[in-house]
Structure formats: structure tokens, C-alpha cells
Amino acid sequence: MRAPEFWDTSPDQPAMLARLLQPVGRLYARGTARRLATSETTGVGIPVVCIGNINVGGTGKTPTVIALIDRLKGRQVHVVSRGYGGSATGPLQVDERRHTAVEVGDEPLLVSAFAPTWVAKDRAAGVAAAETAG
């Protein structure tokens, strides 16, 4: 699967399809802004870095997390994931010797070899569990 060719055109001369999609992009941006403005936020007393994007797989999020863990050596780093593909709702600290990808998802299982990793469908609860654990 390849990216659409119009993605590679100059921003000064967008392709016709890109121009036709601009209204849809504006609607999506407006909806996202509204959702963010009305969503409940949870403040935590620790630094949080979010790694993600609109695409579900194959964009390099897991290698980026592992590289960031490596760059932050010497600091107490914990990873919180929703555990995509896993059945656990958490918050649950992943133990690579005890859990399976069916339970916690394949990516949290992999990342747990590099740093303490938590699976929680409720991200705020996952961050709270990680904070409590250190």
C-alpha cells in the first residue's frame, strides 16, 4: 500500500484531489478542537510524553518509544499503553514472563523488556498506577 501521489505535491501547488479534500480536513479539525475543548483533563504531578498519531499501525510508534526509553536512561521511565489487541483492562503492570500478547497486546509486551509498562484502557488510571509505582 502506498501513500496517495497528491501527498508528494508542493504545498504551493496542491493537487486537485488535495484541494477537494480541504473542506473535509477543516471539518475534522473543527470536530477535534471541539472534542478537546469539552473533554475532561486529568492533571498529574509528573512529566508525560504522548506518542501517537492518527494511524493505527506501521508508523513507528513502538520503535520511537523504545528509542526514547534509551535516551532517558538514568530517569525513572514508565510506559502506559491502552494495550491494543489485548483483553486486559488494567491498570496492570506487564510482566513479560507472565503475560501474553492476547492479554496485554503485542506492543506493551515488547516494550516491557525495556521499561516498566502498564496497560490500562483508562489512560489516566494507568498513569496514576505508574506514578504510584515510582
Side-chain angles (χ1 to χ4, degrees), residues 15 17-18 39 49-50 58-59 68-70 82 85 94-95 98 112-113 116 121 131 134:
L17 187 54
S39 64
V49 176
C50 297
T59 57
L68 188 57
I69 291 167
D70 187 54
R82 294 188 67 202
V94 178
D95 180 345
R98 198 179 86 199
S112 71
K121 300 297 182 198
E131 185 176 22

Side-chain angles (χ1 to χ4, degrees), residues 12-120:
D12 299 331
Q13 294 293 325
M16 182 58 69
L17 187 54
R19 287 183 190 167
L20 291 173
L21 289 173
Q22 283 178 334
V24 176
R26 285 190 191 102
L27 285 173
Y28 187 83
R30 191 175 298 142
T32 299
R34 184 177 301 143
R35 180 180 54 84
L36 292 175
T38 60
S39 64
E40 188 177 317
T41 60
T42 303
V44 294
I46 57 175
V48 174
V49 176
C50 297
I51 298 173
N53 60 30
I54 195 168
N55 296 317
V56 174
T59 57
K61 294 181 292 289
T62 299
T64 300
V65 169
I66 293 169
L68 188 57
I69 291 167
D70 187 54
R71 296 280 289 227
L72 293 172
K73 278 202 181 347
R75 293 189 170 96
Q76 186 64 27
V77 175
H78 286 240
V79 175
V80 177
S81 171
R82 294 188 67 202
Y84 180 78
S87 60
T89 58
L92 162 74
Q93 185 170 6
V94 178
D95 180 345
E96 62 183 309
R97 294 174 304 269
R98 198 179 86 199
H99 295 113
T100 66
V102 172
E103 295 171 302
V104 297
D106 59 342
E107 291 167 346
L109 195 59
L110 171 63
V111 173
S112 71
F114 298 91
T117 302
W118 298 82
V119 166

